[in-house]
Amino acid sequence: MARPDKVDAVVEMRDKFRNSNGAVVTAYTGLTVAQLQQLRRSLGENAHYRVAKNTLTKIAANEAGITAIDDLFTGSSAVAFVTGDPVVAAKGLRDFAKDNPNLVIKGGVLDGKALSADDIKKLADLESREVLLSKLAGAMKGKQSQAAAVFQALPSKLVRTVDALRAKQDEQGGAE
């Protein structure tokens, strides 16, 4: 029979898997408690870093319908549950791992799809959602300005063409 504390841990992690849009599995052997606290702070408000037993984490992931990352639960494992922008969390993990080589990104899952450690590093190289949206808005605004200039140019070009035709017609009419 399962102990109540283990059942509670599985239920909590299952809910975190279900309520997050991504999860990153890491190895943390050799990190101090202070470093783990620093890592949690660096992930910000949109990610929750949790150290747990592999067996319990695997059960929780499977109960949440995530089986693609079962092979990652070996050795020391911790999971960063991402509820906000996955790029920000990936950057936080990547940057922390640069300064602390004991943190190793094993892989993860994003929107139900398995990610390798390299995929997570590529995700970290992307710009954040806000930056991409602002660039898109700027591009759209620029295209609108270009379209407005074209639409304004068409009538004035038409007027110049009509004036040129009239002048040519007047020249031909006066020459006869």
Side-chain angles (χ1 to χ4, degrees), residues 152-168:
Q152 287 176 348
L154 288 174
S156 64
K157 189 173 183 178
L158 177 65
V159 168
R160 285 194 303 271
T161 305
V162 169
D163 286 343
L165 285 173
R166 279 190 192 143
K168 188 173 184 177

Side-chain angles (χ1 to χ4, degrees), residues 141-152:
K141 183 179 178 185
K143 293 297 179 190
Q144 287 175 343
S145 298
Q146 289 174 347
V150 167
F151 291 136
Q152 287 176 348

Side-chain angles (χ1 to χ4, degrees), residues 110-125:
L110 180 62
D111 294 327
K113 294 188 172 88
L115 299 175
S116 67
D118 289 335
D119 293 336
I120 293 169
K121 289 175 185 167
K122 288 177 188 173
L123 184 65
D125 291 337

Side-chain angles (χ1 to χ4, degrees), residues 23-25 69 72 106-110 113-117 120:
V24 179
V25 181
I69 58 173
L72 300 179
K106 295 181 178 182
V109 63
L110 180 62
K113 294 188 172 88
L115 299 175
S116 67
I120 293 169

